[in-house]
Amino acid sequence: MSASHAAPAQAPTRSRVTLQVNGSPRTLTVDHRATLLDVLREDLGLTGAKKGCDHGQCGACTVLVDGRRANSCLLLAVAQDGTEIITVEGLAAGGELHPVQQAFLDRDAYQCGYCTPGQLCSAVGLFAEAAAGHPSYVTDPTRPSGQGPVELTAEEIRERMSGNLCRCGAYPNIVAAVEDVTR
Amino acid sequence: MKPYAYVRARSVEEATAAHAARPGARYLAGGTNLVDLMKHGVETPETLVDVSRLPLDGIEELPDGALRIGATVRNSDLAAHPLVRDRHPVLSQALLAGASGQLRNIATTGGNLLQRTRCPYFQDTAKPCNKREPGTGCGARDGIHRDHAVLGHSPHCIATNPSDMAVALAALDATVHLYGPGGERTVPVTDFHRLPGDHPERDTVLEPGELITAVMLPARTAGLPSAYRKARDRASYAFALASVAAVLDVDDAGAVRHVGLAFGGLAHRPWRARLAETALLGAPPTEHAIAHAVDAELGLAQPLRDNAFKVPLARNLACRVLSELARR
């Protein structure tokens, strides 16, 4: 690092970033304070991800970043430059519902629906984690990690989905819908 | 939130230089705690130095069997790493007991060590708090403090450290590797976090501008029986009321050869239970010996008006975990 990195009197507070959003590159200038959630909703018109608590406690803002589920309300957009984002709008490839979307319909796994986009993205992330053999808090501690997929029992699903709150209390049908996809 | 500058660092040296050049700079890694505190107005950086893409995201086994964990390794990747799961199960369990799947995918090893207390008075800028604003008093002492400290607190601060991971690291004798304006240094994780004393605004011994580069798990605790147990208000996704990390090694004669015991949720830092360990070493870990040792440690507790329940809760957790490890 050279002396040229010394802070200028008026350091910029906005930066240009490119995000791959649901398969398309989106280049825009973002305020450094903007979260990924705000940019998705306010600048890119993708209002599927919801602002629930805005503090990482409810999971309504869950999206996939480079294939992994994350709370978009806690990610600064400027720090996500170059990442691949999948939102609930991007789950239905080619107009066909993702199996977990279909399962939520079949099981009526919601009431008001506000938490549903986050639940769906979280479930998609969960499938990848379990398939990679990643343990959860309720996985047998003696089971070696990464050797074959973890079986998604109802107990595993409840633990792994605990970062997504549903204030309508649709949990039983959410667990059932996620279980359906694993069968 | 006031506007701020943003710098993405490409090397550790570049990160520390950028931090030093800019007053009011803060390091940004996963940001799960920092961004939240910025929204609360508790953190007001003038520059964010983004260290999340530094080449510190590897887990490496050293020739002597120690494990070097880079500071930007995500909590979920650390918990799922086969060597961690196999040789340091207490660490994997502690990580998986914390936060949610989404948060663990973002949060880093270094950031987990530096997360701030979740004391509601600390997070609310309208309330007095000696940690956030020294000299304003402690709102929790005579206020809502059911979740607060029972060990090592001071008249100025009764906050607890919220990390599960750090409790396991304390039991495992981990060390924290730092790089800063003064060069490199290594600190035992049990000395990394401070007790509040007269300076609750300082959570750790980190000097201004210092950056965590790695956490080292020593070979001597690798492969020993270990476990983490956490009590909380709901079955998942909640901070600990009390938690226990334990490592226990019993020799062929049935005597305790090594023990590492640490409590979470009870103090301003992970509480390494040295009194209990001394009482257990060299003798068979019978139910009686375990209870005696744990009671000796928790005899130091000074509960507040509304959190005395934590003492028997922590006692029962520790006795259960140690007894289970002794039977392995």
Side-chain angles (χ1 to χ4, degrees), chain B residues 205-246:
Chain B
V205 299
L206 210 60
E207 295 294 338
E210 267 187 319
L211 183 67
I212 299 174
T213 55
V215 169
M216 192 84 80
L217 303 180
R220 68 177 176 281
T221 53
L224 301 181
S226 69
Y228 189 74
R229 190 72 55 87
K230 176 176 181 178
R232 42 188 159 172
D233 281 331
R234 52 190 187 198
S236 181
Y237 198 19
F239 289 98
L241 295 167
S243 70
V244 168

mmCIF file of all heavy atoms in Angstrom, chain B residues 205-246:
data_model
loop_
_atom_site.group_PDB
_atom_site.id
_atom_site.type_symbol
_atom_site.label_atom_id
_atom_site.label_comp_id
_atom_site.label_asym_id
_atom_site.label_seq_id
_atom_site.Cartn_x
_atom_site.Cartn_y
_atom_site.Cartn_z
ATOM 1 N N VAL B 205 -8.041 -7.302 24.082
ATOM 2 C CA VAL B 205 -6.720 -6.668 24.210
ATOM 3 C C VAL B 205 -6.209 -6.176 22.858
ATOM 4 O O VAL B 205 -5.067 -5.749 22.751
ATOM 5 C CB VAL B 205 -5.686 -7.631 24.831
ATOM 6 C CG1 VAL B 205 -6.122 -8.058 26.232
ATOM 7 C CG2 VAL B 205 -5.479 -8.866 23.941
ATOM 8 N N LEU B 206 -7.051 -6.230 21.840
ATOM 9 C CA LEU B 206 -6.676 -5.761 20.508
ATOM 10 C C LEU B 206 -6.257 -4.286 20.576
ATOM 11 O O LEU B 206 -6.960 -3.464 21.141
ATOM 12 C CB LEU B 206 -7.881 -5.921 19.579
ATOM 13 C CG LEU B 206 -7.682 -6.171 18.096
ATOM 14 C CD1 LEU B 206 -6.895 -7.449 17.852
ATOM 15 C CD2 LEU B 206 -9.042 -6.275 17.412
ATOM 16 N N GLU B 207 -5.110 -3.963 19.959
ATOM 17 C CA GLU B 207 -4.661 -2.564 19.897
ATOM 18 C C GLU B 207 -5.308 -1.902 18.672
ATOM 19 O O GLU B 207 -5.690 -2.588 17.722
ATOM 20 C CB GLU B 207 -3.143 -2.507 19.788
ATOM 21 C CG GLU B 207 -2.394 -3.048 21.007
ATOM 22 C CD GLU B 207 -2.606 -2.198 22.260
ATOM 23 O OE1 GLU B 207 -2.968 -1.017 22.120
ATOM 24 O OE2 GLU B 207 -2.423 -2.724 23.365
ATOM 25 N N PRO B 208 -5.401 -0.572 18.674
ATOM 26 C CA PRO B 208 -6.011 0.109 17.520
ATOM 27 C C PRO B 208 -5.333 -0.296 16.206
ATOM 28 O O PRO B 208 -4.110 -0.288 16.117
ATOM 29 C CB PRO B 208 -5.774 1.598 17.822
ATOM 30 C CG PRO B 208 -5.661 1.664 19.312
ATOM 31 C CD PRO B 208 -5.017 0.378 19.736
ATOM 32 N N GLY B 209 -6.137 -0.673 15.233
ATOM 33 C CA GLY B 209 -5.597 -1.022 13.917
ATOM 34 C C GLY B 209 -5.153 -2.461 13.788
ATOM 35 O O GLY B 209 -4.830 -2.909 12.683
ATOM 36 N N GLU B 210 -5.093 -3.210 14.894
ATOM 37 C CA GLU B 210 -4.695 -4.614 14.787
ATOM 38 C C GLU B 210 -5.806 -5.432 14.141
ATOM 39 O O GLU B 210 -6.990 -5.189 14.360
ATOM 40 C CB GLU B 210 -4.378 -5.187 16.175
ATOM 41 C CG GLU B 210 -2.915 -5.081 16.546
ATOM 42 C CD GLU B 210 -2.601 -5.806 17.842
ATOM 43 O OE1 GLU B 210 -3.399 -5.711 18.798
ATOM 44 O OE2 GLU B 210 -1.545 -6.455 17.902
ATOM 45 N N LEU B 211 -5.361 -6.419 13.368
ATOM 46 C CA LEU B 211 -6.277 -7.273 12.616
ATOM 47 C C LEU B 211 -6.034 -8.724 13.022
ATOM 48 O O LEU B 211 -4.881 -9.146 13.138
ATOM 49 C CB LEU B 211 -5.975 -7.088 11.124
ATOM 50 C CG LEU B 211 -6.834 -7.808 10.092
ATOM 51 C CD1 LEU B 211 -8.261 -7.263 10.105
ATOM 52 C CD2 LEU B 211 -6.221 -7.640 8.703
ATOM 53 N N ILE B 212 -7.105 -9.474 13.244
ATOM 54 C CA ILE B 212 -6.950 -10.913 13.478
ATOM 55 C C ILE B 212 -6.643 -11.568 12.141
ATOM 56 O O ILE B 212 -7.364 -11.344 11.161
ATOM 57 C CB ILE B 212 -8.227 -11.515 14.082
ATOM 58 C CG1 ILE B 212 -8.547 -10.881 15.436
ATOM 59 C CG2 ILE B 212 -8.087 -13.037 14.230
ATOM 60 C CD1 ILE B 212 -9.876 -11.327 16.028
ATOM 61 N N THR B 213 -5.571 -12.360 12.080
ATOM 62 C CA THR B 213 -5.238 -13.046 10.834
ATOM 63 C C THR B 213 -5.558 -14.533 10.886
ATOM 64 O O THR B 213 -5.831 -15.146 9.849
ATOM 65 C CB THR B 213 -3.749 -12.871 10.485
ATOM 66 O OG1 THR B 213 -2.969 -13.321 11.591
ATOM 67 C CG2 THR B 213 -3.432 -11.414 10.187
ATOM 68 N N ALA B 214 -5.505 -15.132 12.080
ATOM 69 C CA ALA B 214 -5.753 -16.574 12.187
ATOM 70 C C ALA B 214 -6.047 -16.956 13.623
ATOM 71 O O ALA B 214 -5.756 -16.203 14.562
ATOM 72 C CB ALA B 214 -4.536 -17.362 11.699
ATOM 73 N N VAL B 215 -6.631 -18.133 13.777
ATOM 74 C CA VAL B 215 -6.795 -18.769 15.080
ATOM 75 C C VAL B 215 -6.126 -20.135 14.978
ATOM 76 O O VAL B 215 -6.318 -20.851 13.984
ATOM 77 C CB VAL B 215 -8.290 -18.925 15.446
ATOM 78 C CG1 VAL B 215 -8.460 -19.816 16.665
ATOM 79 C CG2 VAL B 215 -8.923 -17.563 15.691
ATOM 80 N N MET B 216 -5.321 -20.482 15.987
ATOM 81 C CA MET B 216 -4.599 -21.753 15.957
ATOM 82 C C MET B 216 -5.154 -22.693 17.025
ATOM 83 O O MET B 216 -5.281 -22.318 18.191
ATOM 84 C CB MET B 216 -3.112 -21.499 16.224
ATOM 85 C CG MET B 216 -2.228 -22.676 15.929
ATOM 86 S SD MET B 216 -1.789 -22.740 14.184
ATOM 87 C CE MET B 216 -0.476 -21.525 14.161
ATOM 88 N N LEU B 217 -5.484 -23.917 16.579
ATOM 89 C CA LEU B 217 -5.874 -24.959 17.529
ATOM 90 C C LEU B 217 -4.653 -25.836 17.758
ATOM 91 O O LEU B 217 -4.124 -26.421 16.809
ATOM 92 C CB LEU B 217 -7.016 -25.815 16.961
ATOM 93 C CG LEU B 217 -8.292 -25.091 16.562
ATOM 94 C CD1 LEU B 217 -9.316 -26.096 16.031
ATOM 95 C CD2 LEU B 217 -8.874 -24.331 17.743
ATOM 96 N N PRO B 218 -4.194 -25.950 19.002
ATOM 97 C CA PRO B 218 -2.957 -26.687 19.238
ATOM 98 C C PRO B 218 -3.159 -28.191 19.077
ATOM 99 O O PRO B 218 -4.264 -28.711 19.260
ATOM 100 C CB PRO B 218 -2.604 -26.332 20.679
ATOM 101 C CG PRO B 218 -3.917 -26.045 21.324
ATOM 102 C CD PRO B 218 -4.781 -25.421 20.251
ATOM 103 N N ALA B 219 -2.058 -28.886 18.764
ATOM 104 C CA ALA B 219 -2.136 -30.333 18.582
ATOM 105 C C ALA B 219 -2.480 -31.046 19.886
ATOM 106 O O ALA B 219 -3.102 -32.115 19.864
ATOM 107 C CB ALA B 219 -0.797 -30.847 18.043
ATOM 108 N N ARG B 220 -2.106 -30.458 21.019
ATOM 109 C CA ARG B 220 -2.247 -31.209 22.278
ATOM 110 C C ARG B 220 -3.707 -31.456 22.680
ATOM 111 O O ARG B 220 -3.988 -32.371 23.451
ATOM 112 C CB ARG B 220 -1.478 -30.530 23.419
ATOM 113 C CG ARG B 220 -2.031 -29.204 23.872
ATOM 114 C CD ARG B 220 -1.227 -28.645 25.062
ATOM 115 N NE ARG B 220 -1.683 -27.330 25.437
ATOM 116 C CZ ARG B 220 -1.357 -26.212 24.793
ATOM 117 N NH1 ARG B 220 -0.554 -26.262 23.748
ATOM 118 N NH2 ARG B 220 -1.834 -25.041 25.189
ATOM 119 N N THR B 221 -4.642 -30.653 22.184
ATOM 120 C CA THR B 221 -6.047 -30.926 22.507
ATOM 121 C C THR B 221 -6.781 -31.605 21.342
ATOM 122 O O THR B 221 -7.971 -31.896 21.451
ATOM 123 C CB THR B 221 -6.794 -29.627 22.896
ATOM 124 O OG1 THR B 221 -6.615 -28.651 21.863
ATOM 125 C CG2 THR B 221 -6.278 -29.074 24.214
ATOM 126 N N ALA B 222 -6.057 -31.851 20.239
ATOM 127 C CA ALA B 222 -6.696 -32.497 19.076
ATOM 128 C C ALA B 222 -7.006 -33.957 19.390
ATOM 129 O O ALA B 222 -6.179 -34.668 19.955
ATOM 130 C CB ALA B 222 -5.780 -32.402 17.863
ATOM 131 N N GLY B 223 -8.195 -34.383 19.029
ATOM 132 C CA GLY B 223 -8.565 -35.784 19.186
ATOM 133 C C GLY B 223 -9.016 -36.168 20.584
ATOM 134 O O GLY B 223 -9.437 -37.307 20.805
ATOM 135 N N LEU B 224 -8.945 -35.267 21.553
ATOM 136 C CA LEU B 224 -9.433 -35.592 22.899
ATOM 137 C C LEU B 224 -10.962 -35.515 22.913
ATOM 138 O O LEU B 224 -11.556 -34.737 22.175
ATOM 139 C CB LEU B 224 -8.859 -34.616 23.933
ATOM 140 C CG LEU B 224 -7.337 -34.558 24.052
ATOM 141 C CD1 LEU B 224 -6.926 -33.564 25.144
ATOM 142 C CD2 LEU B 224 -6.781 -35.943 24.372
ATOM 143 N N PRO B 225 -11.602 -36.325 23.764
ATOM 144 C CA PRO B 225 -13.071 -36.223 23.867
ATOM 145 C C PRO B 225 -13.479 -34.811 24.265
ATOM 146 O O PRO B 225 -12.896 -34.224 25.183
ATOM 147 C CB PRO B 225 -13.411 -37.227 24.986
ATOM 148 C CG PRO B 225 -12.262 -38.194 24.988
ATOM 149 C CD PRO B 225 -11.056 -37.375 24.630
ATOM 150 N N SER B 226 -14.458 -34.262 23.561
ATOM 151 C CA SER B 226 -14.890 -32.898 23.865
ATOM 152 C C SER B 226 -16.342 -32.716 23.462
ATOM 153 O O SER B 226 -16.852 -33.450 22.603
ATOM 154 C CB SER B 226 -14.013 -31.877 23.137
ATOM 155 O OG SER B 226 -14.227 -31.915 21.736
ATOM 156 N N ALA B 227 -17.004 -31.752 24.070
ATOM 157 C CA ALA B 227 -18.420 -31.509 23.765
ATOM 158 C C ALA B 227 -18.822 -30.104 24.183
ATOM 159 O O ALA B 227 -18.189 -29.494 25.054
ATOM 160 C CB ALA B 227 -19.305 -32.534 24.473
ATOM 161 N N TYR B 228 -19.897 -29.601 23.539
ATOM 162 C CA TYR B 228 -20.465 -28.289 23.858
ATOM 163 C C TYR B 228 -21.938 -28.472 24.197
ATOM 164 O O TYR B 228 -22.647 -29.212 23.507
ATOM 165 C CB TYR B 228 -20.327 -27.348 22.653
ATOM 166 C CG TYR B 228 -20.695 -25.916 22.949
ATOM 167 C CD1 TYR B 228 -19.855 -25.108 23.700
ATOM 168 C CD2 TYR B 228 -21.885 -25.364 22.469
ATOM 169 C CE1 TYR B 228 -20.179 -23.781 23.967
ATOM 170 C CE2 TYR B 228 -22.215 -24.033 22.725
ATOM 171 C CZ TYR B 228 -21.348 -23.252 23.471
ATOM 172 O OH TYR B 228 -21.677 -21.935 23.724
ATOM 173 N N ARG B 229 -22.389 -27.825 25.246
ATOM 174 C CA ARG B 229 -23.803 -27.884 25.621
ATOM 175 C C ARG B 229 -24.277 -26.471 25.936
ATOM 176 O O ARG B 229 -23.582 -25.735 26.632
ATOM 177 C CB ARG B 229 -23.983 -28.802 26.850
ATOM 178 C CG ARG B 229 -25.418 -29.151 27.213
ATOM 179 C CD ARG B 229 -26.101 -30.113 26.262
ATOM 180 N NE ARG B 229 -25.380 -31.348 26.056
ATOM 181 C CZ ARG B 229 -25.494 -32.436 26.836
ATOM 182 N NH1 ARG B 229 -26.313 -32.442 27.868
ATOM 183 N NH2 ARG B 229 -24.801 -33.524 26.571
ATOM 184 N N LYS B 230 -25.467 -26.142 25.428
ATOM 185 C CA LYS B 230 -25.953 -24.759 25.518
ATOM 186 C C LYS B 230 -27.392 -24.749 26.011
ATOM 187 O O LYS B 230 -28.222 -25.494 25.484
ATOM 188 C CB LYS B 230 -25.862 -24.122 24.126
ATOM 189 C CG LYS B 230 -26.413 -22.713 23.996
ATOM 190 C CD LYS B 230 -26.166 -22.185 22.578
ATOM 191 C CE LYS B 230 -26.681 -20.776 22.404
ATOM 192 N NZ LYS B 230 -26.409 -20.241 21.051
ATOM 193 N N ALA B 231 -27.692 -23.899 26.984
ATOM 194 C CA ALA B 231 -29.069 -23.709 27.445
ATOM 195 C C ALA B 231 -29.544 -22.335 26.985
ATOM 196 O O ALA B 231 -28.833 -21.341 27.132
ATOM 197 C CB ALA B 231 -29.146 -23.798 28.964
ATOM 198 N N ARG B 232 -30.726 -22.290 26.390
ATOM 199 C CA ARG B 232 -31.252 -21.035 25.851
ATOM 200 C C ARG B 232 -32.776 -21.036 25.956
ATOM 201 O O ARG B 232 -33.383 -22.055 26.270
ATOM 202 C CB ARG B 232 -30.798 -20.827 24.416
ATOM 203 C CG ARG B 232 -30.861 -22.088 23.567
ATOM 204 C CD ARG B 232 -30.228 -21.894 22.194
ATOM 205 N NE ARG B 232 -29.855 -23.169 21.581
ATOM 206 C CZ ARG B 232 -29.426 -23.300 20.342
ATOM 207 N NH1 ARG B 232 -29.323 -22.262 19.566
ATOM 208 N NH2 ARG B 232 -29.093 -24.476 19.853
ATOM 209 N N ASP B 233 -33.377 -19.873 25.642
ATOM 210 C CA ASP B 233 -34.817 -19.732 25.852
ATOM 211 C C ASP B 233 -35.663 -20.428 24.803
ATOM 212 O O ASP B 233 -36.862 -20.594 24.976
ATOM 213 C CB ASP B 233 -35.195 -18.252 25.904
ATOM 214 C CG ASP B 233 -34.887 -17.633 27.264
ATOM 215 O OD1 ASP B 233 -34.916 -18.372 28.266
ATOM 216 O OD2 ASP B 233 -34.623 -16.425 27.327
ATOM 217 N N ARG B 234 -35.086 -20.783 23.655
ATOM 218 C CA ARG B 234 -35.808 -21.578 22.670
ATOM 219 C C ARG B 234 -34.845 -22.636 22.132
ATOM 220 O O ARG B 234 -33.645 -22.559 22.366
ATOM 221 C CB ARG B 234 -36.408 -20.717 21.560
ATOM 222 C CG ARG B 234 -35.432 -19.779 20.893
ATOM 223 C CD ARG B 234 -36.149 -18.791 19.964
ATOM 224 N NE ARG B 234 -35.169 -18.007 19.219
ATOM 225 C CZ ARG B 234 -35.435 -16.867 18.597
ATOM 226 N NH1 ARG B 234 -36.647 -16.374 18.613
ATOM 227 N NH2 ARG B 234 -34.490 -16.212 17.938
ATOM 228 N N ALA B 235 -35.367 -23.590 21.369
ATOM 229 C CA ALA B 235 -34.577 -24.765 21.011
ATOM 230 C C ALA B 235 -33.452 -24.446 20.046
ATOM 231 O O ALA B 235 -32.480 -25.189 19.954
ATOM 232 C CB ALA B 235 -35.483 -25.841 20.412
ATOM 233 N N SER B 236 -33.584 -23.353 19.301
ATOM 234 C CA SER B 236 -32.572 -23.000 18.307
ATOM 235 C C SER B 236 -32.562 -21.490 18.134
ATOM 236 O O SER B 236 -33.522 -20.807 18.490
ATOM 237 C CB SER B 236 -32.905 -23.677 16.973
ATOM 238 O OG SER B 236 -31.925 -23.384 15.993
ATOM 239 N N TYR B 237 -31.467 -20.973 17.571
ATOM 240 C CA TYR B 237 -31.381 -19.578 17.158
ATOM 241 C C TYR B 237 -31.657 -18.617 18.314
ATOM 242 O O TYR B 237 -32.551 -17.774 18.258
ATOM 243 C CB TYR B 237 -32.353 -19.331 16.000
ATOM 244 C CG TYR B 237 -32.083 -18.092 15.190
ATOM 245 C CD1 TYR B 237 -30.848 -17.463 15.208
ATOM 246 C CD2 TYR B 237 -33.073 -17.546 14.389
ATOM 247 C CE1 TYR B 237 -30.615 -16.330 14.476
ATOM 248 C CE2 TYR B 237 -32.853 -16.410 13.638
ATOM 249 C CZ TYR B 237 -31.620 -15.798 13.689
ATOM 250 O OH TYR B 237 -31.401 -14.668 12.952
ATOM 251 N N ALA B 238 -30.880 -18.776 19.392
ATOM 252 C CA ALA B 238 -30.959 -17.856 20.526
ATOM 253 C C ALA B 238 -29.599 -17.848 21.216
ATOM 254 O O ALA B 238 -28.863 -18.833 21.135
ATOM 255 C CB ALA B 238 -32.045 -18.291 21.513
ATOM 256 N N PHE B 239 -29.299 -16.737 21.877
ATOM 257 C CA PHE B 239 -28.036 -16.657 22.597
ATOM 258 C C PHE B 239 -28.118 -17.503 23.862
ATOM 259 O O PHE B 239 -29.197 -17.804 24.361
ATOM 260 C CB PHE B 239 -27.705 -15.197 22.924
ATOM 261 C CG PHE B 239 -27.330 -14.417 21.696
ATOM 262 C CD1 PHE B 239 -28.255 -13.620 21.051
ATOM 263 C CD2 PHE B 239 -26.054 -14.533 21.157
ATOM 264 C CE1 PHE B 239 -27.909 -12.925 19.897
ATOM 265 C CE2 PHE B 239 -25.704 -13.850 20.000
ATOM 266 C CZ PHE B 239 -26.635 -13.048 19.374
ATOM 267 N N ALA B 240 -26.936 -17.869 24.365
ATOM 268 C CA ALA B 240 -26.876 -18.753 25.535
ATOM 269 C C ALA B 240 -27.286 -18.018 26.808
ATOM 270 O O ALA B 240 -26.875 -16.879 27.034
ATOM 271 C CB ALA B 240 -25.459 -19.286 25.701
ATOM 272 N N LEU B 241 -28.112 -18.683 27.618
ATOM 273 C CA LEU B 241 -28.264 -18.256 29.007
ATOM 274 C C LEU B 241 -27.028 -18.725 29.765
ATOM 275 O O LEU B 241 -26.466 -18.022 30.592
ATOM 276 C CB LEU B 241 -29.530 -18.865 29.613
ATOM 277 C CG LEU B 241 -30.839 -18.395 28.972
ATOM 278 C CD1 LEU B 241 -32.000 -19.267 29.408
ATOM 279 C CD2 LEU B 241 -31.093 -16.932 29.337
ATOM 280 N N ALA B 242 -26.635 -19.946 29.458
ATOM 281 C CA ALA B 242 -25.384 -20.505 29.958
ATOM 282 C C ALA B 242 -24.973 -21.593 28.987
ATOM 283 O O ALA B 242 -25.824 -22.232 28.371
ATOM 284 C CB ALA B 242 -25.559 -21.090 31.357
ATOM 285 N N SER B 243 -23.673 -21.771 28.828
ATOM 286 C CA SER B 243 -23.187 -22.848 27.980
ATOM 287 C C SER B 243 -21.875 -23.371 28.561
ATOM 288 O O SER B 243 -21.233 -22.702 29.373
ATOM 289 C CB SER B 243 -22.986 -22.383 26.537
ATOM 290 O OG SER B 243 -21.891 -21.499 26.443
ATOM 291 N N VAL B 244 -21.532 -24.585 28.114
ATOM 292 C CA VAL B 244 -20.319 -25.238 28.621
ATOM 293 C C VAL B 244 -19.571 -25.873 27.456
ATOM 294 O O VAL B 244 -20.173 -26.553 26.621
ATOM 295 C CB VAL B 244 -20.679 -26.339 29.645
ATOM 296 C CG1 VAL B 244 -19.468 -27.204 29.954
ATOM 297 C CG2 VAL B 244 -21.220 -25.715 30.915
ATOM 298 N N ALA B 245 -18.276 -25.622 27.398
ATOM 299 C CA ALA B 245 -17.391 -26.344 26.484
ATOM 300 C C ALA B 245 -16.409 -27.132 27.341
ATOM 301 O O ALA B 245 -15.838 -26.579 28.288
ATOM 302 C CB ALA B 245 -16.638 -25.377 25.578
ATOM 303 N N ALA B 246 -16.251 -28.420 27.032
ATOM 304 C CA ALA B 246 -15.363 -29.245 27.862
ATOM 305 C C ALA B 246 -14.523 -30.171 27.004
ATOM 306 O O ALA B 246 -14.988 -30.711 25.994
ATOM 307 C CB ALA B 246 -16.180 -30.050 28.870
#
